[in-house]
Amino acid sequence: MMYNTSAGIVPGKINVHLVPHSHDDVGWLKTVDQYYVGSNNSIQVACVQNVLDSLIPALVADKNRKFIYVEQAITHGFFALLSFDFLLEINGGMCMHDEAAPHYIDMIDQTTLGHRYIKEQFNVTPRIGWQIDPFGHSAVQAYLLSAEVGFDFLFFARIDYQDRAKRINEKTLEVVWRASKSLGSSAQIMTGISPKNYEPPSDNFYFEVGDTSPIVQDDMNLFDYNVPERVNDFVSAAIAQANITRTNHIMWTMGTDFKYQYAHTWFRQMDKFIHYVNQDGRVNALYSTPSMYIDAKYAANESWPLKTDDFFPYADRENAYWTGYFTSRPALKGYVRTMSAYYLAARQLEFFKGRNEVGLSTDSLADALALVQHHDAVSGTEKQHVADDYAKRLSIGYTEAEKCPLLNISYCPPSEVDLSSGKSLVVVVYNPLGWKREDIIRIPVINENVTVKDSKGKVIESQLLPLLKDSMSLRNSYSTAYLGKSTNVTPSYWLAFSASVPPLGFNTYIISSAKQAASHSGMRTVYKSQISQNDTIEVGPGNLKLLYSGKRAKLMRYINSKTSVNKLLEQSYIYYRGDDGSKDLQPSGAYIFRPNGTYPIEPEGQLSFTILRGPLLDEVHQRINPWIYQVTRVYKGKDHAEIEFTVGPIPIDDGIGKEVVTQITSNMISNKTFYTDSSGRDFIERIRDYRKDWNLEVNQPIAGNYYPVNLGIYMKDNSSELSILVDRSVGGSSIADGQLELMLHRRLVADDNRGVSEALNETVCVFDKCEGLTIIGKYYLRIDPVGEAAKWRRSFGQEIYSPFLLAFTEQDGDHWANSHLATYSAMDTTYVLPDNVALITLQELDSGKVLLRLAHLYEIEEDTDLSVMSSVELKKISKVTEMNLSANQERAVMEKKRLVWRVEGSSKEQPTAVRGSPVDPAKLVVELAPMEIRTFVIEFYSERGSFSDALYRRSNLRRKATFSLP
């Protein structure tokens, strides 16, 4: 029988837009490749090849049928999609990225990779955001990764169950989301929230082989004819959804995870529904896409409610806050951040040397980084073997850095050479930032007889610090675990020296043997506490002093003589006992944070408290307990403290899962208020036990107040601001006034019943011995007078994200130094980028053109001096074209065609957000307003130059600098 599926929109009726889709994770229970080919089906019967192979014939069979597909990374270049543009109009990134754990630069990069691929291969420009599965939604996703890429609409499914109930009651599931207070209405996005999830409206409408929903049996010659009943089911469900939705258009997401492996089973039933429902006439059913749906919504000329800030945290029911994944798999999160920083710098170096002239490229790392932004990857919510696969892919992409993969655990073979034979170690330090910076370099060395010279041959001040047995034990274990071999050289010291490097440039330092222990080393162990000691101990060689209690081995006070800050300050560790679910079947797990009690972590036995002093930095070493070790560093030229923590293996022999937290406690009066960043960008005000959009029913006073932290967290009172910046995404909160806390690590004994079917229990095996994962990480702490902290958060935040990149080689005599360029800057010596502007992309494209992104670092009213319009001058460029954020269309074209949605109560003219002016091709000046990111494709004259009075000609760099990437 032929079915009439040609229905379009019918005015005056409820129009049910049937949107067929398959949500195909690029890794979760199986690896991305296992999902593609359909292997490892003992875990999950899922095969993307089957979806793609059956989909195209089903679409060809009826031109009225529609389908949408999101995850580009898993299609493996399925070019048959070319005939169906509507398949690719959605999202368009390499994956459906998470919105809590990724940094905004990674979100931009993976989206750009997918968008430019679709544009080049299919000439399609996606116009709909489709973030249906991430576990909460960030402001950055709304205004940057939706509005600024040119989307007209953003769909998602997961919001807090209390929020959803209120929105259903008030018919506010569709809103205009104005997420940036700086960019305002110029970067708002129309947003639709599913009434339930991203699946069909009820259990009656699933049609995969093996599903149990009743089919439409329309052969009257057979038993069980049920057309009237099934039409009634359809109409009832449509009316129910229409009653909570504005306008007469509703959308049904017809599909879910890895569906349409035999596409005809779905389309056959939808064909019948469209045919018989439209014969019935009470509602109108049609094959549709999100674009068709939103165009119909827009034509209704409705005014929509306004939403600001974000959609964190997310709970799907009582006592089930999805805030544990903010920290889950902290080692993977740290690895992703390290690779992200390397990728940014490596693309710059690739551009300087010439993309086509480098044997290796950054492409494989780009692909791996794009994949791992997936909402079941960097989030830490995948099975262990899948997490291993992501890490493996990152490692393969990082082949240019294999000489120094484990520097954070003091394993760095290039620096652990014997220099007594007359050889020297050459250290090339690259600075990927657009301003000059100075920082302390620390590398392990095998003995104390070393000296450091700068690029001019001048001996510079350095400092040796003993490599303590705790570090050595971890080094030996993990180098064996990850490299498959034990080390044959044992370093004895950390060598620290100050490196000064020009913007977008490098400097060279030579480490050579000294005839005797360098008198300038400055290494002294000056204090080892005993229980009986009660002296106050002052730590810090510069303006910043930390005061400790010798008796308790505890931090007591923070004093900065330069800023006149003098505050009580304590730091401690606790763990939350992970609920095992014995009460209500809701344990703590990879997704869910469900604490069941708070337990302080106190030192066991005699206090371990060692202070090392020197001319460059002081270190405080503390053994907190057998599985937590901490080093606090205070640098001479820095006004913040650096805290390096080593946590693990977390013991679970007692059957209790533990979620390890550090707490920073002051006497500040914070009035329940604190601030966390959105994906490393805007800071959003958080108020404990409060939601702006509904009256919060508090059932989890700890987990329900946790938020994702990518850049930092801070609180303030009338006189001071206390800020903490992080080196990877974590969960954080302020559970008590005057206190901030970060969750650093978690090891659990139960699965949280959200599909993974595996406890979050990461282990590392060396030969036949397996133990819980140990992680090393850092956070940075500073207290400023109120109103003066943003400068540090923004500038040092960039330095954390983009650390120095190190390359090593050896030389005999002065051979290497005489034949290589010792120092270089891609920018004129008289120029640096403005303090409020960062260069976040400098990348040569396959076409030979260059992709350039500049970002204003400050929000409006964030800083008196720097929350202002800024400008960057471009030079020696033949053509500059401003693009949208993902560089797949010209910005002017995007702005002209984007839909402008009406907002309730905004009949009066709204103030226009400040934006930088279009770039005058004669003047080539780029203006950036607060929080603005501008993207350009640049073409150079034959002898290349660049912005800011000249990136030197690349030929100059190619001729003189041939060092390899680390």
Side-chain angles (χ1 to χ4, degrees):
M1 178 177 175
M2 296 296 294
Y3 299 101
N4 183 4
T5 61
S6 63
I9 292 169
V10 176
K13 282 188 177 181
I14 296 172
N15 288 275
V16 184
H17 294 251
L18 301 180
V19 177
H21 78 106
S22 181
H23 175 60
D24 297 349
D25 292 298
V26 293
W28 178 38
L29 308 183
K30 306 198 296 187
T31 69
V32 61
D33 287 350
Q34 290 169 351
Y35 272 134
Y36 181 69
V37 301
S39 61
N40 210 356
N41 280 346
S42 62
I43 294 177
Q44 184 183 14
V45 179
C47 177
V48 171
Q49 276 185 320
N50 288 346
V51 175
L52 298 174
D53 288 346
S54 70
L55 177 62
I56 301 304
L59 293 174
V60 170
D62 184 346
K63 64 181 177 59
N64 297 311
R65 291 173 175 173
K66 301 289 190 291
F67 196 85
I68 58 170
Y69 204 89
V70 174
E71 292 83 3
Q72 304 307 316
I74 205 169
T75 63
H76 290 253
F78 198 79
F79 292 102
L81 302 183
L82 180 62
S83 302
F84 306 98
D85 288 355
F86 52 76
L87 284 166
L88 301 170
E89 68 174 12
I90 308 301
N91 248 25
M94 298 304 291
C95 69
M96 185 184 298
H97 56 228
D98 184 48
E99 298 181 37
H103 193 274
Y104 77 93
I105 294 178
D106 291 329
M107 297 164 82
I108 293 171
D109 285 342
Q110 83 85 15
T111 303
T112 299
L113 192 63
H115 278 197
R116 289 185 61 83
Y117 172 78
I118 291 173
K119 184 68 174 179
E120 291 166 0
Q121 297 295 332
F122 309 115
N123 196 30
V124 172
T125 303
R127 60 180 294 234
I128 307 294
W130 189 258
Q131 290 289 110
I132 55 175
D133 200 23
F135 328 121
H137 302 280
S138 72
V140 157
Q141 176 62 40
Y143 82 87
L144 270 185
L145 278 303
S146 297
E148 291 291 283
V149 300
F151 289 164
D152 285 318
F153 207 101
L154 169 64
F155 286 97
F156 54 75
R158 298 187 186 273
I159 64 169
D160 189 277
Y161 73 101
Q162 295 182 40
D163 191 9
R164 189 190 305 274
K166 182 173 183 287
R167 292 183 181 280
I168 287 174
N169 186 57
E170 296 178 351
K171 299 178 78 167
T172 57
L173 285 168
E174 292 174 313
V175 298
V176 173
W177 190 1
R178 190 175 295 166
S180 170
K181 62 186 178 184
S182 299
L183 299 180
S185 61
S186 72
Q188 65 191 23
I189 184 74
M190 183 66 188
T191 303
I193 305 161
S194 169
K196 179 185 175 185
N197 49 33
Y198 55 86
E199 304 187 12
S202 75
D203 293 339
N204 278 329
F205 301 99
Y206 289 79
F207 303 113
E208 195 76 11
V209 172
D211 284 343
T212 58
S213 297
I215 64 168
V216 179
Q217 206 295 83
D218 60 345
D219 189 338
M220 299 183 71
N221 295 318
L222 302 176
F223 290 156
D224 302 323
Y225 177 82
N226 66 354
V227 169
E229 291 87 349
R230 295 303 280 138
V231 168
N232 284 338
D233 291 341
F234 190 102
V235 172
S236 295
I239 292 173
Q241 186 167 332
N243 286 336
I244 60 172
T245 308
R246 301 189 186 196
T247 80
N248 62 328
H249 296 275
I250 63 173
M251 184 174 74
W252 286 7
T253 47
M254 297 301 292
T256 183
D257 295 7
F258 298 98
K259 299 302 183 183
Y260 294 79
Q261 295 191 62
Y262 183 54
H264 283 287
T265 63
W266 284 87
F267 283 114
R268 182 184 299 123
Q269 298 306 311
M270 287 186 288
D271 287 353
K272 293 180 180 183
F273 273 119
I274 292 171
H275 181 86
Y276 291 114
V277 165
N278 291 345
Q279 279 188 348
D280 175 83
R282 285 175 286 173
V283 302
N284 180 60
L286 67 153
Y287 279 122
S288 188
T289 66
S291 282
M292 294 169 60
Y293 174 74
I294 67 112
D295 286 341
K297 286 281 188 178
Y298 186 75
N301 202 28
E302 180 84 9
S303 292
W304 303 93
L306 183 67
K307 162 70 181 173
T308 58
D309 56 62
D310 63 4
F311 287 90
F312 285 116
Y314 161 62
D316 60 352
R317 61 174 179 258
E318 187 176 350
N319 298 320
Y321 278 93
W322 296 47
T323 54
Y325 84 96
F326 300 161
T327 298
S328 295
R329 302 195 186 278
L332 178 63
K333 284 177 164 67
Y335 192 28
V336 171
R337 184 61 58 86
T338 299
M339 293 300 96
S340 175
Y342 173 75
Y343 178 54
L344 183 148
R347 281 180 292 173
Q348 295 174 359
L349 293 171
E350 190 176 46
F351 162 70
F352 297 147
K353 297 181 75 173
R355 178 175 171 82
N356 296 327
E357 300 178 32
V358 181
L360 298 174
S361 76
T362 59
D363 291 350
S364 63
L365 182 56
D367 291 340
L369 272 170
L371 189 72
V372 81
Q373 306 311 317
H374 168 58
H375 59 270
D376 280 310
V378 67
S379 57
T381 54
E382 65 273 41
K383 280 185 177 291
Q384 183 62 56
H385 77 103
V386 181
D388 295 341
D389 183 71
Y390 290 130
K392 179 181 178 180
R393 292 170 186 272
L394 288 171
S395 179
I396 291 171
Y398 191 37
T399 53
E400 289 293 283
E402 286 180 339
K403 287 183 179 178
C404 206
L406 300 173
L407 187 57
N408 71 324
I409 62 165
S410 68
Y411 182 79
C412 193
S415 71
E416 296 167 17
V417 295
D418 186 357
L419 303 177
S420 60
S421 62
K423 289 186 176 181
S424 297
L425 179 68
V426 180
V427 183
V428 180
V429 184
Y430 178 71
N431 172 22
L433 296 181
W435 55 74
K436 180 181 177 180
R437 63 193 284 197
E438 294 187 10
D439 210 345
I440 299 296
I441 302 294
R442 296 169 62 249
I443 58 175
V445 293
I446 61 174
N447 63 55
E448 63 193 78
N449 300 321
V450 292
T451 186
V452 182
K453 297 179 181 179
D454 64 16
S455 57
K456 297 179 180 179
K458 179 183 177 182
V459 175
I460 63 171
E461 189 172 46
S462 61
Q463 179 176 341
L464 287 169
L465 300 112
L467 216 163
L468 303 181
K469 64 178 181 179
D470 298 278
S471 296
M472 290 305 307
S473 174
L474 189 65
R475 160 204 162 88
N476 294 337
S477 175
Y478 274 60
S479 60
T480 302
Y482 289 107
L483 300 177
K485 59 184 180 181
S486 57
T487 60
N488 54 16
V489 177
T490 301
S492 300
Y493 299 96
W494 284 106
L495 172 66
F497 61 92
S498 180
S500 177
V501 188
L504 288 185
F506 61 82
N507 212 342
T508 305
Y509 295 87
I510 308 296
I511 300 172
S512 55
S513 175
K515 293 183 178 180
Q516 57 186 7
S519 61
H520 59 270
S521 66
M523 187 278 291
R524 300 184 284 135
T525 301
V526 299
Y527 191 86
K528 241 179 186 177
S529 79
Q530 303 293 326
I531 294 295
S532 60
Q533 295 288 337
N534 58 6
D535 295 338
T536 297
I537 306 165
E538 183 179 272
V539 175
N543 297 317
L544 176 61
K545 306 294 183 185
L546 299 182
L547 270 57
Y548 286 82
S549 163
K551 183 176 182 180
R552 297 188 302 127
K554 288 277 192 178
L555 176 65
M556 299 188 307
R557 187 170 287 273
Y558 178 108
I559 301 173
N560 189 321
S561 58
K562 185 172 73 174
T563 61
S564 301
V565 168
N566 188 327
K567 287 287 184 181
L568 293 174
L569 192 69
E570 294 185 355
Q571 186 250 346
S572 59
Y573 286 90
I574 63 166
Y575 74 83
Y576 295 115
R577 175 175 178 161
D579 197 294
D580 61 6
S582 56
K583 274 187 179 180
D584 59 3
L585 302 180
Q586 185 50 73
S588 215
Y591 298 94
I592 307 296
F593 175 29
R594 178 82 188 278
N596 185 8
T598 304
Y599 298 85
I601 297 175
E602 300 291 353
E604 299 177 11
Q606 185 173 351
L607 298 178
S608 174
F609 184 55
T610 303
I611 298 176
L612 306 176
R613 300 190 189 274
L616 300 178
L617 72 152
D618 288 355
E619 287 189 346
V620 179
H621 291 249
Q622 295 172 274
R623 166 60 67 184
I624 307 300
N625 71 2
W627 45 276
I628 300 179
Y629 191 85
Q630 176 174 291
V631 181
T632 302
R633 299 186 180 97
V634 184
Y635 297 92
K636 181 179 181 180
K638 307 288 185 181
D639 290 329
H640 64 264
E642 173 186 296
I643 297 91
E644 180 179 278
F645 54 87
T646 303
V647 178
I650 300 173
I652 55 171
D653 297 342
D654 52 7
I656 297 172
K658 299 173 181 66
E659 323 212 26
V660 180
V661 166
T662 185
Q663 294 181 329
I664 307 297
T665 305
S666 73
N667 59 353
M668 295 172 62
I669 303 170
S670 55
N671 294 321
K672 294 188 173 183
T673 303
F674 58 106
Y675 303 81
T676 63
D677 68 277
S678 175
S679 306
R681 199 85 178 117
D682 311 64
F683 277 93
I684 298 178
E685 181 183 73
R686 313 297 190 183
I687 302 175
R688 193 163 59 251
D689 296 335
Y690 172 80
R691 302 292 188 270
K692 186 184 296 185
D693 293 334
W694 76 94
N695 293 323
L696 177 66
E697 179 184 334
V698 179
N699 52 64
Q700 284 291 313
I702 298 174
N705 285 300
Y706 254 67
Y707 293 87
V709 178
N710 255 282
L711 169 60
I713 181 172
Y714 72 93
M715 63 182 176
K716 61 183 179 180
D717 62 12
N718 292 333
S719 63
S720 304
E721 294 186 37
L722 192 160
S723 305
I724 301 175
L725 301 183
V726 297
D727 69 344
R728 70 198 70 190
S729 60
V730 297
S733 188
S734 175
I735 303 301
D737 274 7
Q739 185 181 83
L740 296 175
E741 70 177 55
L742 300 174
M743 184 182 291
L744 306 178
H745 197 2
R746 54 203 311 257
R747 188 182 185 194
L748 301 165
V749 298
D751 174 63
D752 54 13
N753 302 316
R754 292 305 184 277
V756 177
S757 300
E758 187 176 279
L760 184 66
N761 179 15
E762 297 181 276
T763 58
V764 174
C765 298
V766 179
F767 303 119
D768 295 327
K769 180 183 178 182
C770 296
E771 60 183 11
L773 175 71
T774 297
I775 63 154
I776 298 177
K778 295 178 182 178
Y779 64 91
Y780 308 84
L781 181 152
R782 176 164 162 160
I783 303 177
D784 287 281
V786 68
E788 298 180 16
K791 289 184 177 67
W792 178 71
R793 289 193 294 264
R794 295 300 184 180
S795 60
F796 189 66
Q798 287 298 116
E799 295 185 15
I800 296 172
Y801 180 80
S802 292
F804 282 149
L805 192 63
L806 306 183
F808 300 87
T809 190
E810 297 177 29
Q811 73 168 0
D812 291 315
D814 296 325
H815 175 72
W816 193 94
N818 291 334
S819 60
H820 290 77
L821 191 65
T823 186
Y824 169 83
S825 176
M827 301 174 75
D828 187 86
T829 55
T830 64
Y831 190 89
V832 296
L833 283 182
D835 291 341
N836 52 7
V837 173
L839 173 68
I840 62 172
T841 307
L842 181 62
Q843 175 183 0
E844 183 172 355
L845 304 174
D846 289 335
S847 63
K849 299 176 183 178
V850 175
L851 182 63
L852 170 70
R853 281 195 191 91
L854 298 167
H856 199 297
L857 296 175
Y858 289 76
E859 299 176 68
I860 59 170
E861 301 175 352
E862 186 176 9
D863 184 85
T864 304
D865 301 319
L866 297 173
S867 293
V868 296
M869 184 73 73
S870 193
S871 62
V872 174
E873 187 176 3
L874 307 177
K875 292 287 189 183
K876 300 182 181 178
I877 292 171
S878 63
K879 184 178 180 182
V880 56
T881 305
E882 182 161 14
M883 308 294 287
N884 68 328
L885 185 68
S886 57
N888 68 341
Q889 58 185 311
E890 292 188 19
R891 183 171 185 90
V893 174
M894 178 200 80
E895 291 176 336
K896 186 178 296 184
K897 67 183 183 181
R898 271 199 78 213
L899 302 181
V900 179
W901 299 81
R902 295 173 58 191
V903 177
E904 282 183 345
S906 61
S907 57
K908 296 181 180 179
E909 191 70 25
Q910 296 294 307
T912 303
V914 176
R915 290 274 194 166
S917 303
V919 176
D920 184 335
K923 297 180 180 178
L924 292 178
V925 174
V926 178
E927 294 179 341
L928 294 115
M931 279 291 107
E932 191 172 21
I933 297 178
R934 300 186 70 176
T935 303
F936 302 92
V937 170
I938 291 175
E939 299 176 46
F940 290 95
Y941 294 109
S942 57
E943 291 190 352
R944 296 202 179 188
S946 137
F947 61 93
S948 75
D949 253 352
L951 285 173
Y952 292 146
R953 293 179 211 156
R954 295 199 310 169
S955 58
N956 188 39
L957 176 58
R958 287 200 302 271
R959 185 175 66 251
K960 295 186 178 179
T962 57
F963 66 91
S964 62
L965 303 180

